[in-house]
Amino acid sequence: MRYYIIAGEASGDLHASNLMKEIKNEDSAAEFRFWGGDLMQAQGGELVKHYRETAFMGFLTVLKNLGKIRANFSLCEKDLLEYKPDVLILVDYPGFNLRMAKFAKENGIRVHYYISPKIWAWKEGRVKKIKAHVDRMFTIFPFETEFYKKHNYEVSFGGNPLLDAIENRPNKDESFEDFTAKNNLSNKPIVALLAGSRKQEIERILPVMLDVVGDFPDHQFVVAAAPSITKEFYSQVVGDRDVKFVYGQTYDLLQQSKAALVTSGTATLETALLRIPQVVCYITGGGKILFAIGKRLLKVKYISLVNLVMDQLIVKELIQHYCNKQSITQELKNILEEGNYRSEMLENYQLLNEKLGGAGASARFAKMIVEDLKSQ
């Protein structure tokens, strides 16, 4: 069968690549065409556009790139009709993918949504579009399933594919000495900095994270560099601060770290599943006024997936003007110190792992997708 997949960022590329791998186990004749990244490309098939060319974040950035965004829609619509897939599989990325779901449905193409958009947190009204244009929704969090049930929309939960990605990661047995030698790092304990994968959020959040470096002379700070961002860009943001970078080794870096400062998103869950104490740091554009408006519009109590899944405050969330040098410094000290605060966070991480359903999610989702197509 022919599969057309659209992923618009690094995490989508990761999950889609693992799904493609498992689909091939279920369907030996599987053919892929996709929008995504290097990990998907490694599974075979035809890459139409890399996500580094399609990731636009923030109102002003979107406004400046409207021409490119319209051109991407036109290209995708034309390409989809020419390829004539058995199914369109959408991976998160709602601004683009919900429009493509409507277009595909109108043109008789079956639509599967793998990894639901976060409409449970923002723009809940989009559930109407999903019910109208998506044939099957596959959820990766228990609370998502409950959300859709509330809207009388049947979904399929199969666990969380992040557990597979982490369980099957390369270099999982690598020693601290080998990792630091390979990356020209010192023997000091590591604090990992995960500042996002888009230029706009890196520019906003990484400088604030870096403000605390001087207060921890006995530690080394290492940035998990996003593969789509150049070294030159990072150098401009970092300036002369004493930090190192590693590319394409986020999991390797985390597993060797004592603690991490993490931008809200999938990275908070990855950090927790790798059992690394963390501080969640997030700053949106627009300052206090837009932050106050956003808080009123949000439908959830927390911004980090760790806290959302557990439905309680497991990791500290420092948001907007609360995300400052003083607050980050204090919280980082708390989680670096061997004591009750740190150990309680690690114990809650174990409960989180159990709640997400264990490994094997990618295979379960692939089986559901292929069986659905065979039944049509």
Side-chain angles (χ1 to χ4, degrees):
M1 286 182 282
R2 294 155 74 89
Y3 303 82
Y4 199 106
I5 307 175
I6 304 176
E9 54 195 0
S11 62
D13 179 37
L14 170 66
H15 295 316
S17 68
N18 286 329
L19 181 68
M20 290 165 70
K21 177 183 175 182
E22 297 297 343
I23 285 176
K24 287 188 289 185
N25 290 336
E26 296 290 332
D27 177 8
S28 59
E31 296 178 14
F32 298 105
R33 190 168 179 84
F34 51 87
W35 294 49
D38 300 339
L39 297 176
M40 294 171 73
Q41 198 164 19
Q43 291 298 326
E46 294 292 327
L47 173 67
V48 181
K49 267 215 166 174
H50 199 287
Y51 65 77
R52 72 170 69 96
E53 300 179 68
T54 64
F56 302 108
M57 182 183 178
F59 177 75
L60 289 178
T61 304
V62 169
L63 202 60
K64 290 176 184 175
N65 290 280
L66 276 178
K68 291 181 182 178
I69 293 169
R70 291 194 186 104
N72 284 339
F73 279 127
S74 297
L75 170 63
C76 193
E77 290 169 354
K78 180 174 180 290
D79 196 55
L80 192 63
L81 293 180
E82 289 177 354
Y83 187 63
K84 298 177 182 176
D86 293 284
V87 65
L88 169 64
I89 301 175
L90 306 170
V91 186
D92 200 355
Y93 196 43
F96 191 90
N97 277 342
L98 285 175
R99 173 165 167 172
M100 292 312 304
K102 182 175 186 291
F103 177 82
K105 187 72 173 176
E106 290 172 346
N107 287 276
I109 298 170
R110 191 157 182 81
V111 179
H112 286 180
Y113 219 124
Y114 177 58
I115 304 183
S116 169
K118 298 174 182 62
I119 60 172
W120 32 265
W122 186 261
K123 296 186 178 179
E124 187 172 347
R126 282 177 165 176
V127 72
K128 295 177 183 176
K129 294 181 180 179
I130 288 173
K131 292 174 74 173
H133 306 134
V134 176
D135 296 293
R136 289 285 299 274
M137 170 64 75
F138 301 96
T139 58
I140 63 173
F141 296 110
F143 65 81
E144 288 179 329
T145 305
E146 294 303 313
F147 168 83
Y148 282 110
K149 188 182 294 184
K150 182 182 74 174
H151 288 279
N152 299 312
Y153 182 62
E154 186 177 344
V155 299
S156 303
F157 174 72
N160 196 293
L162 264 184
L163 278 79
D164 295 338
I166 287 171
E167 176 63 27
N168 299 322
R169 70 189 185 276
N171 305 320
K172 63 187 294 185
D173 298 319
E174 185 175 44
S175 69
F176 180 82
E177 290 74 20
D178 288 343
F179 176 77
T180 52
K182 179 177 69 178
N183 290 287
N184 195 30
L185 302 174
S186 75
N187 61 0
K188 292 180 180 179
I190 295 172
V191 175
L193 303 180
L194 280 66
S197 59
R198 297 185 180 96
K199 286 185 175 180
Q200 294 91 341
E201 61 185 355
I202 293 169
E203 285 178 317
R204 284 196 298 265
I205 297 167
L206 185 54
V208 183
M209 291 179 171
L210 294 172
D211 282 344
V212 309
V213 171
D215 293 330
F216 297 88
D218 296 330
H219 294 77
Q220 57 182 324
F221 287 73
V222 184
V223 177
S228 58
I229 306 297
T230 65
K231 292 181 180 178
E232 290 73 21
F233 177 82
Y234 276 115
S235 295
Q236 290 173 2
V237 176
V238 171
D240 59 358
R241 294 180 177 92
D242 184 21
V243 294
K244 300 283 188 177
F245 298 87
V246 297
Y247 272 88
Q249 301 178 71
T250 300
Y251 288 175
D252 299 357
L253 169 62
L254 281 171
Q255 75 176 13
Q256 304 299 345
S257 297
K258 179 81 170 177
L261 304 181
V262 187
T263 298
S264 177
T266 305
T268 63
L269 191 58
E270 292 171 313
T271 304
L273 293 175
L274 284 162
R275 311 294 203 276
I276 306 303
Q278 65 183 296
V279 186
V280 177
C281 306
Y282 195 69
I283 302 172
T284 64
K288 290 185 178 182
I289 295 176
L290 280 185
F291 173 63
I293 295 171
K295 277 191 73 174
R296 291 182 182 179
L297 294 175
L298 277 175
K299 306 290 185 181
V300 292
K301 291 185 287 186
Y302 308 109
I303 65 163
S304 75
L305 287 171
V306 177
N307 295 338
L308 282 168
V309 172
M310 296 299 289
D311 196 27
Q312 60 179 301
L313 191 67
I314 304 300
V315 296
K316 187 75 169 182
E317 298 179 350
L318 300 177
I319 311 169
Q320 210 66 359
H321 48 287
Y322 297 107
C323 184
N324 55 55
K325 179 182 177 181
Q326 182 179 357
S327 298
I328 297 173
T329 298
Q330 183 57 57
E331 189 61 23
L332 184 54
K333 286 179 179 177
N334 291 342
I335 62 172
L336 284 171
E337 183 180 342
E338 296 290 350
N340 291 338
Y341 192 84
R342 179 182 171 91
S343 60
E344 185 176 343
M345 187 179 292
L346 294 174
E347 288 169 10
N348 280 315
Y349 283 174
Q350 178 57 39
L351 297 175
L352 170 75
N353 191 304
E354 295 168 6
K355 198 166 185 178
L356 288 174
S362 300
R364 290 191 290 272
F365 284 120
K367 187 176 181 66
M368 285 189 276
I369 288 170
V370 173
E371 285 181 349
D372 176 85
L373 297 178
K374 286 180 178 178
S375 70
Q376 298 308 307

